[in-house]
Amino acid sequence: MTTSPAAPIRVLIVDDQMMVREGFSVLLNAMPGIEVVGEAVNGREAVTQVAALRPDVVLMDIRMPELNGIEATREIVAADADAKVLVLTTFDLDEYVYQALRAGASGFLLKDASARRLADGVRVVASGEALLAPTVTRRLITEFSKLAAAPRPPALARIGDLTERETEVLVLIAQGLSNAEIAGHLVVAESTIKTHVSRILVKLGLRDRTQAAVFAYEARLVTPS
């Protein structure tokens, strides 16, 4: 009995620069298991294309005319909670990237990423994981969470829904630890940590670990250093 090959990951590329769109399209179409199904030149067109094409991953530029990448991401995620948006940026420490993560993006990549890094990023996000290296995530969130003088009231209110152990796990997520590392730190099974993470996301109404880390910093569970 033979098994049929897995369906390719369907990608929509959103960028107002034609050369960028065409370049990413060529790179990704050359990668096994990935297919570029469409392109959009601005955020408004991206929202329309996502609804029509239902891509697995959206590669989203931030600075675009008509509707920027942050607002487009917010609209796409609001329409489909399972949508996966991977933000493209020129600088890793970019305030707009932080806003995009808060809007529901699953992570970000630099525009000068290698073809392999780009493909790996698409695969990671398509699998439901957040794409942000722990050190970069922490640096980015720390830098821009400093802009908030006080915790947001909704964040404070929702903390009370977490158990003591769930709060502990949330802090470790914000510190950049993987499930395996958290399990080792707390001396429990990794499957137990996965359960805690799932419950944390449900209780806080968050999409993924990236938003959980942002939440922890904004609620001042972790103090920017």
Side-chain angles (χ1 to χ4, degrees):
M1 179 178 177
T2 59
T3 58
S4 58
I9 299 170
R10 304 171 71 254
V11 178
L12 173 69
I13 299 174
V14 186
D15 196 293
D16 61 338
Q17 297 182 41
M18 183 177 65
M19 290 184 64
V20 172
R21 295 195 309 274
E22 292 183 347
F24 282 154
S25 182
V26 169
L27 290 175
L28 289 175
N29 278 325
M31 294 293 174
I34 297 177
E35 176 187 3
V36 176
V37 296
E39 299 178 7
V41 301
N42 57 56
R44 179 56 59 204
E45 187 175 328
V47 174
T48 301
Q49 290 277 60
V50 168
L53 299 173
R54 309 291 292 180
D56 299 306
V57 176
V58 180
L59 286 182
M60 180 76 74
D61 187 25
I62 292 179
R63 297 171 179 82
M64 294 181 294
E66 294 194 36
L67 189 70
N68 64 40
I70 296 169
E71 294 304 322
T73 296
R74 186 172 288 113
E75 289 193 22
I76 290 169
V77 172
D80 181 3
D82 293 326
K84 307 292 191 304
V85 179
L86 186 53
V87 170
L88 298 169
T89 183
T90 306
F91 307 103
D92 59 355
L93 273 182
D94 185 333
E95 182 179 355
Y96 293 105
V97 172
Y98 180 63
Q99 293 177 21
L101 296 178
R102 294 192 70 249
S106 296
F108 76 90
L109 274 176
L110 296 180
K111 283 191 174 182
D112 61 358
S114 66
R116 180 177 296 277
R117 176 62 173 156
L118 181 63
D120 287 345
V122 166
R123 294 188 181 103
V124 167
V125 171
S127 72
E129 297 296 324
L131 181 71
L132 285 164
T135 53
V136 176
T137 307
R138 191 161 56 248
R139 185 161 56 94
L140 179 74
I141 295 172
T142 297
E143 183 70 20
F144 293 110
S145 63
K146 290 177 182 178
L147 300 176
R152 296 168 178 260
L156 288 176
R158 285 186 287 170
I159 290 175
D161 295 334
L162 302 180
T163 65
E164 183 177 347
R165 177 46 63 94
E166 287 167 351
T167 302
E168 190 174 9
V169 170
L170 177 58
V171 169
L172 294 173
I173 289 173
Q175 291 174 351
L177 274 66
S178 66
N179 284 349
E181 291 169 334
I182 295 173
H185 181 80
L186 299 179
V187 196
V188 297
E190 186 174 349
S191 59
T192 300
I193 298 303
K194 289 181 180 178
T195 299
H196 284 314
V197 173
S198 295
R199 288 176 178 169
I200 289 168
L201 297 180
V202 170
K203 287 183 177 181
L204 299 181
L206 303 173
R207 285 167 51 83
D208 53 35
R209 298 171 70 92
T210 302
Q211 287 205 327
V214 171
F215 178 96
Y217 275 93
E218 292 188 337
R220 293 298 186 264
L221 289 177
V222 181
T223 304
S225 56

Short mmCIF file of all heavy atoms in Angstrom, two decimals, residues 89-130:
data_model
loop_
_atom_site.label_atom_id
_atom_site.label_comp_id
_atom_site.label_asym_id
_atom_site.label_seq_id
_atom_site.Cartn_x
_atom_site.Cartn_y
_atom_site.Cartn_z
N THR A 89 10.10 41.88 7.15
CA THR A 89 10.59 43.19 7.56
C THR A 89 12.05 43.34 7.20
O THR A 89 12.76 42.36 6.97
CB THR A 89 10.40 43.38 9.08
OG1 THR A 89 10.83 44.70 9.45
CG2 THR A 89 11.20 42.37 9.87
N THR A 90 12.50 44.57 7.17
CA THR A 90 13.90 44.86 6.88
C THR A 90 14.74 44.86 8.16
O THR A 90 15.92 44.53 8.14
CB THR A 90 14.03 46.24 6.19
OG1 THR A 90 13.18 46.26 5.04
CG2 THR A 90 15.45 46.49 5.74
N PHE A 91 14.12 45.21 9.27
CA PHE A 91 14.85 45.31 10.54
C PHE A 91 14.19 44.43 11.59
O PHE A 91 12.97 44.46 11.75
CB PHE A 91 14.88 46.75 11.04
CG PHE A 91 15.39 47.73 10.03
CD1 PHE A 91 14.52 48.55 9.33
CD2 PHE A 91 16.75 47.83 9.75
CE1 PHE A 91 14.98 49.45 8.38
CE2 PHE A 91 17.22 48.73 8.81
CZ PHE A 91 16.34 49.55 8.12
N ASP A 92 14.99 43.66 12.35
CA ASP A 92 14.40 42.78 13.36
C ASP A 92 13.86 43.57 14.55
O ASP A 92 12.88 43.17 15.18
CB ASP A 92 15.38 41.70 13.81
CG ASP A 92 16.68 42.25 14.39
OD1 ASP A 92 16.86 43.49 14.37
OD2 ASP A 92 17.49 41.44 14.86
N LEU A 93 14.48 44.70 14.87
CA LEU A 93 13.96 45.54 15.94
C LEU A 93 13.13 46.65 15.32
O LEU A 93 13.58 47.77 15.14
CB LEU A 93 15.09 46.12 16.80
CG LEU A 93 15.56 45.23 17.94
CD1 LEU A 93 16.65 45.92 18.73
CD2 LEU A 93 14.42 44.83 18.85
N ASP A 94 11.93 46.34 14.98
CA ASP A 94 11.05 47.24 14.26
C ASP A 94 9.74 47.34 15.05
O ASP A 94 9.07 46.34 15.28
CB ASP A 94 10.79 46.67 12.87
CG ASP A 94 9.97 47.60 11.98
OD1 ASP A 94 9.19 48.40 12.52
OD2 ASP A 94 10.10 47.49 10.76
N GLU A 95 9.39 48.55 15.46
CA GLU A 95 8.17 48.72 16.25
C GLU A 95 6.95 48.17 15.52
O GLU A 95 6.01 47.64 16.14
CB GLU A 95 7.95 50.20 16.58
CG GLU A 95 6.72 50.44 17.45
CD GLU A 95 6.52 51.91 17.78
OE1 GLU A 95 7.39 52.73 17.41
OE2 GLU A 95 5.51 52.22 18.40
N TYR A 96 6.96 48.26 14.20
CA TYR A 96 5.83 47.75 13.44
C TYR A 96 5.71 46.23 13.53
O TYR A 96 4.62 45.68 13.49
CB TYR A 96 5.93 48.19 11.98
CG TYR A 96 5.78 49.68 11.79
CD1 TYR A 96 6.87 50.48 11.53
CD2 TYR A 96 4.53 50.28 11.91
CE1 TYR A 96 6.74 51.86 11.38
CE2 TYR A 96 4.38 51.65 11.76
CZ TYR A 96 5.49 52.44 11.49
OH TYR A 96 5.36 53.79 11.35
N VAL A 97 6.86 45.57 13.66
CA VAL A 97 6.83 44.11 13.84
C VAL A 97 6.13 43.77 15.15
O VAL A 97 5.30 42.87 15.21
CB VAL A 97 8.26 43.53 13.83
CG1 VAL A 97 8.24 42.05 14.21
CG2 VAL A 97 8.90 43.71 12.47
N TYR A 98 6.46 44.50 16.18
CA TYR A 98 5.83 44.26 17.49
C TYR A 98 4.32 44.45 17.38
O TYR A 98 3.54 43.65 17.90
CB TYR A 98 6.43 45.23 18.51
CG TYR A 98 5.86 45.10 19.90
CD1 TYR A 98 6.01 43.92 20.61
CD2 TYR A 98 5.18 46.15 20.51
CE1 TYR A 98 5.49 43.79 21.89
CE2 TYR A 98 4.67 46.03 21.78
CZ TYR A 98 4.83 44.85 22.47
OH TYR A 98 4.31 44.72 23.74
N GLN A 99 3.90 45.49 16.70
CA GLN A 99 2.46 45.74 16.52
C GLN A 99 1.82 44.61 15.71
O GLN A 99 0.69 44.20 15.99
CB GLN A 99 2.24 47.08 15.82
CG GLN A 99 2.65 48.28 16.68
CD GLN A 99 2.48 49.58 15.92
OE1 GLN A 99 1.72 49.66 14.96
NE2 GLN A 99 3.18 50.62 16.35
N ALA A 100 2.53 44.10 14.72
CA ALA A 100 2.00 43.01 13.91
C ALA A 100 1.83 41.74 14.74
O ALA A 100 0.84 41.01 14.58
CB ALA A 100 2.91 42.74 12.71
N LEU A 101 2.76 41.48 15.63
CA LEU A 101 2.65 40.31 16.51
C LEU A 101 1.43 40.45 17.42
O LEU A 101 0.71 39.49 17.66
CB LEU A 101 3.92 40.16 17.35
CG LEU A 101 5.21 39.87 16.58
CD1 LEU A 101 6.39 39.80 17.53
CD2 LEU A 101 5.10 38.59 15.76
N ARG A 102 1.21 41.65 17.91
CA ARG A 102 0.04 41.89 18.75
C ARG A 102 -1.24 41.77 17.93
O ARG A 102 -2.29 41.43 18.47
CB ARG A 102 0.11 43.27 19.40
CG ARG A 102 1.26 43.41 20.40
CD ARG A 102 1.15 44.66 21.24
NE ARG A 102 0.03 44.56 22.17
CZ ARG A 102 -1.09 45.28 22.10
NH1 ARG A 102 -1.25 46.14 21.13
NH2 ARG A 102 -2.03 45.13 22.99
N ALA A 103 -1.16 42.03 16.63
CA ALA A 103 -2.34 41.95 15.77
C ALA A 103 -2.67 40.51 15.39
O ALA A 103 -3.75 40.25 14.84
CB ALA A 103 -2.11 42.78 14.50
N GLY A 104 -1.74 39.58 15.66
CA GLY A 104 -2.02 38.17 15.39
C GLY A 104 -1.07 37.46 14.46
O GLY A 104 -1.28 36.30 14.12
N ALA A 105 0.01 38.14 14.04
CA ALA A 105 0.99 37.47 13.20
C ALA A 105 1.67 36.34 13.98
O ALA A 105 1.83 36.42 15.20
CB ALA A 105 2.05 38.47 12.72
N SER A 106 2.05 35.29 13.27
CA SER A 106 2.67 34.12 13.91
C SER A 106 4.18 34.25 14.04
O SER A 106 4.82 33.40 14.63
CB SER A 106 2.33 32.86 13.11
OG SER A 106 0.94 32.60 13.14
N GLY A 107 4.74 35.30 13.47
CA GLY A 107 6.18 35.49 13.56
C GLY A 107 6.67 36.43 12.49
O GLY A 107 5.88 37.05 11.79
N PHE A 108 7.99 36.54 12.36
CA PHE A 108 8.52 37.42 11.34
C PHE A 108 9.83 36.89 10.77
O PHE A 108 10.52 36.10 11.41
CB PHE A 108 8.70 38.84 11.87
CG PHE A 108 9.90 39.02 12.76
CD1 PHE A 108 11.13 39.38 12.24
CD2 PHE A 108 9.79 38.85 14.13
CE1 PHE A 108 12.24 39.55 13.06
CE2 PHE A 108 10.88 39.03 14.96
CZ PHE A 108 12.11 39.37 14.43
N LEU A 109 10.12 37.32 9.57
CA LEU A 109 11.37 36.99 8.90
C LEU A 109 11.96 38.26 8.31
O LEU A 109 11.23 39.15 7.89
CB LEU A 109 11.14 36.01 7.76
CG LEU A 109 11.11 34.51 8.08
CD1 LEU A 109 10.78 33.75 6.80
CD2 LEU A 109 12.44 34.04 8.63
N LEU A 110 13.28 38.34 8.28
CA LEU A 110 13.93 39.45 7.60
C LEU A 110 13.88 39.21 6.10
O LEU A 110 13.96 38.08 5.64
CB LEU A 110 15.38 39.57 8.07
CG LEU A 110 15.59 39.90 9.54
CD1 LEU A 110 17.08 39.98 9.85
CD2 LEU A 110 14.90 41.20 9.91
N LYS A 111 13.74 40.30 5.36
CA LYS A 111 13.62 40.17 3.90
C LYS A 111 14.88 39.63 3.25
O LYS A 111 14.83 39.13 2.12
CB LYS A 111 13.26 41.53 3.28
CG LYS A 111 11.80 41.90 3.46
CD LYS A 111 11.46 43.11 2.61
CE LYS A 111 9.98 43.43 2.65
NZ LYS A 111 9.61 44.56 1.79
N ASP A 112 16.01 39.71 3.94
CA ASP A 112 17.25 39.19 3.34
C ASP A 112 17.53 37.75 3.77
O ASP A 112 18.63 37.24 3.62
CB ASP A 112 18.43 40.08 3.70
CG ASP A 112 18.69 40.16 5.20
OD1 ASP A 112 17.93 39.55 5.98
OD2 ASP A 112 19.66 40.84 5.60
N ALA A 113 16.50 37.08 4.31
CA ALA A 113 16.66 35.69 4.72
C ALA A 113 17.03 34.81 3.52
O ALA A 113 16.62 35.08 2.39
CB ALA A 113 15.38 35.18 5.37
N SER A 114 17.81 33.77 3.78
CA SER A 114 18.19 32.85 2.71
C SER A 114 16.97 32.07 2.24
O SER A 114 15.94 32.03 2.93
CB SER A 114 19.25 31.87 3.22
OG SER A 114 18.69 31.02 4.22
N ALA A 115 17.07 31.46 1.08
CA ALA A 115 15.97 30.67 0.54
C ALA A 115 15.60 29.54 1.50
O ALA A 115 14.42 29.27 1.73
CB ALA A 115 16.36 30.10 -0.82
N ARG A 116 16.59 28.90 2.09
CA ARG A 116 16.32 27.81 3.04
C ARG A 116 15.61 28.33 4.28
O ARG A 116 14.68 27.72 4.78
CB ARG A 116 17.62 27.11 3.42
CG ARG A 116 17.42 25.95 4.41
CD ARG A 116 18.73 25.25 4.69
NE ARG A 116 19.27 24.63 3.50
CZ ARG A 116 18.89 23.43 3.06
NH1 ARG A 116 17.96 22.76 3.73
NH2 ARG A 116 19.43 22.92 1.99
N ARG A 117 16.08 29.48 4.78
CA ARG A 117 15.46 30.07 5.97
C ARG A 117 14.02 30.47 5.69
O ARG A 117 13.13 30.28 6.52
CB ARG A 117 16.26 31.29 6.41
CG ARG A 117 15.69 32.06 7.59
CD ARG A 117 15.64 31.22 8.84
NE ARG A 117 15.24 32.00 10.00
CZ ARG A 117 14.68 31.48 11.08
NH1 ARG A 117 14.45 30.17 11.16
NH2 ARG A 117 14.36 32.24 12.10
N LEU A 118 13.79 31.01 4.50
CA LEU A 118 12.44 31.40 4.11
C LEU A 118 11.52 30.18 4.04
O LEU A 118 10.41 30.19 4.59
CB LEU A 118 12.49 32.09 2.75
CG LEU A 118 11.16 32.60 2.18
CD1 LEU A 118 10.57 33.68 3.08
CD2 LEU A 118 11.37 33.15 0.77
N ALA A 119 12.00 29.12 3.41
CA ALA A 119 11.20 27.90 3.29
C ALA A 119 10.95 27.27 4.66
O ALA A 119 9.83 26.82 4.96
CB ALA A 119 11.90 26.91 2.36
N ASP A 120 11.99 27.22 5.49
CA ASP A 120 11.84 26.66 6.83
C ASP A 120 10.82 27.46 7.63
O ASP A 120 10.02 26.91 8.38
CB ASP A 120 13.18 26.64 7.57
CG ASP A 120 14.12 25.58 7.03
OD1 ASP A 120 13.65 24.68 6.30
OD2 ASP A 120 15.33 25.64 7.35
N GLY A 121 10.86 28.80 7.47
CA GLY A 121 9.92 29.65 8.18
C GLY A 121 8.49 29.38 7.77
O GLY A 121 7.59 29.31 8.62
N VAL A 122 8.28 29.21 6.49
CA VAL A 122 6.94 28.90 5.99
C VAL A 122 6.45 27.57 6.57
O VAL A 122 5.30 27.44 7.00
CB VAL A 122 6.94 28.85 4.44
CG1 VAL A 122 5.66 28.20 3.92
CG2 VAL A 122 7.10 30.25 3.88
N ARG A 123 7.33 26.59 6.61
CA ARG A 123 6.95 25.27 7.13
C ARG A 123 6.63 25.32 8.62
O ARG A 123 5.68 24.69 9.09
CB ARG A 123 8.08 24.26 6.86
CG ARG A 123 8.31 23.97 5.38
CD ARG A 123 9.30 22.83 5.18
NE ARG A 123 9.53 22.57 3.77
CZ ARG A 123 10.62 22.96 3.11
NH1 ARG A 123 11.57 23.62 3.76
NH2 ARG A 123 10.75 22.71 1.82
N VAL A 124 7.43 26.06 9.38
CA VAL A 124 7.21 26.17 10.82
C VAL A 124 5.85 26.81 11.10
O VAL A 124 5.06 26.31 11.91
CB VAL A 124 8.33 27.00 11.48
CG1 VAL A 124 7.94 27.39 12.91
CG2 VAL A 124 9.63 26.22 11.51
N VAL A 125 5.57 27.91 10.43
CA VAL A 125 4.30 28.61 10.65
C VAL A 125 3.12 27.76 10.18
O VAL A 125 2.07 27.70 10.83
CB VAL A 125 4.31 29.98 9.94
CG1 VAL A 125 2.93 30.62 9.96
CG2 VAL A 125 5.32 30.90 10.61
N ALA A 126 3.28 27.08 9.05
CA ALA A 126 2.21 26.23 8.54
C ALA A 126 1.87 25.11 9.51
O ALA A 126 0.72 24.67 9.59
CB ALA A 126 2.61 25.64 7.18
N SER A 127 2.86 24.66 10.27
CA SER A 127 2.63 23.57 11.23
C SER A 127 1.92 24.05 12.49
O SER A 127 1.57 23.24 13.35
CB SER A 127 3.97 22.92 11.61
OG SER A 127 4.74 23.79 12.45
N GLY A 128 1.74 25.37 12.60
CA GLY A 128 1.03 25.90 13.76
C GLY A 128 1.92 26.47 14.84
O GLY A 128 1.45 26.89 15.90
N GLU A 129 3.22 26.48 14.60
CA GLU A 129 4.16 27.03 15.58
C GLU A 129 4.41 28.51 15.31
O GLU A 129 4.11 29.02 14.23
CB GLU A 129 5.48 26.26 15.53
CG GLU A 129 5.37 24.79 15.89
CD GLU A 129 4.93 24.59 17.33
OE1 GLU A 129 5.34 25.38 18.20
OE2 GLU A 129 4.17 23.64 17.58
N ALA A 130 4.97 29.18 16.30
CA ALA A 130 5.34 30.59 16.12
C ALA A 130 6.79 30.65 15.66
O ALA A 130 7.63 29.89 16.12
CB ALA A 130 5.19 31.35 17.43
#
